Amino acid sequence: MFKLGHLWKTHPTLITVAGVFFAVLVVLVLASIFVYIPYDAFVNGPKAVAIQRDLENEFRLIAAAPNTAQLRCGSLHKTHQGDVTCEYKTDLPYEEIKAHYDRELKSRGWTYVKERRVTIWSHDFGGKQAIYCKGVYDATLQYSGTEPGIEWTFGFTLSWGLSDDCNSY
């Protein structure tokens, strides 16, 4: 059976070198993290704030679908990504909600990209996502379908840096 004590007695330099190498590696990794995070915030933080402000202004210019009750809204950003989102409740069918956002977004220069089904644990409750692009920004209209326990009917989100849907537009 392998015993560390035996290895220490026969090759003490090997263990010392390995220990020093590991300690230096840990210090370098930690130093890199503590240098990169403030550097990233200093270099990219002001740009991220400006992009987020622009995204929030764009969001305010897009009218919500008619006959809807806004349940909650929020926004969040980091140095390389962010979003603005609201959730709504309505009796409107998905087709009418989507038609509204198709018109609103097209009038503001957005391009419809695709629609995809949303499944929850492989179960299809009729949920859908419609994706739109404007430069590197993406807009997502998410319809909940008949998913149980969901109080909102649809959510609308503008984001940057969170998906690859708009990288080629």
Side-chain angles (χ1 to χ4, degrees):
M1 176 133 219
F2 176 77
K3 293 186 178 182
L4 188 59
H6 175 71
L7 185 61
W8 174 256
K9 288 178 187 172
T10 57
H11 302 334
T13 308
L14 178 65
I15 292 188
T16 305
V17 169
V20 168
F21 177 76
F22 181 73
V24 168
L25 185 64
V26 167
V27 167
L28 286 174
V29 167
L30 290 175
S32 297
I33 291 170
F34 287 113
V35 168
Y36 173 75
I37 291 173
Y39 172 79
D40 185 46
F42 177 74
V43 171
N44 297 311
K47 180 180 173 186
V49 168
I51 292 171
Q52 185 70 17
R53 190 176 311 120
D54 183 49
L55 197 68
E56 290 171 0
N57 290 335
E58 180 78 12
F59 191 92
R60 281 190 280 281
L61 295 172
I62 300 167
N67 304 318
T68 60
Q70 182 179 301
L71 300 178
R72 70 187 128 266
C73 287
S75 67
L76 178 69
H77 80 278
K78 297 180 181 179
T79 55
H80 298 277
Q81 62 192 29
D83 74 357
V84 184
T85 189
C86 285
E87 295 173 349
Y88 303 90
K89 184 146 186 77
T90 186
D91 292 329
L92 294 174
Y94 173 72
E95 292 74 22
E96 288 183 37
I97 298 167
K98 184 176 178 298
H100 167 79
Y101 283 98
D102 283 347
R103 286 187 306 274
E104 277 291 311
L105 293 168
K106 186 175 184 179
S107 75
R108 301 229 16 95
W110 291 78
T111 303
Y112 173 76
V113 176
K114 63 183 169 185
E115 182 176 275
R116 57 182 161 225
R117 286 184 12 214
V118 174
T119 58
I120 307 298
W121 295 100
S122 301
H123 192 322
D124 189 351
F125 293 103
K128 297 178 184 180
Q129 279 186 339
I131 309 295
Y132 306 82
C133 295
K134 184 177 182 180
V136 294
Y137 295 165
D138 41 301
T140 304
L141 172 63
Q142 182 162 341
Y143 181 71
S144 66
T146 59
E147 183 182 347
I150 300 294
E151 66 177 310
W152 51 272
T153 309
F154 72 95
F156 182 68
T157 301
L158 296 185
S159 64
W160 62 281
L162 291 174
S163 79
D164 294 329
D165 290 324
C166 295
N167 285 346
S168 61
Y169 286 87

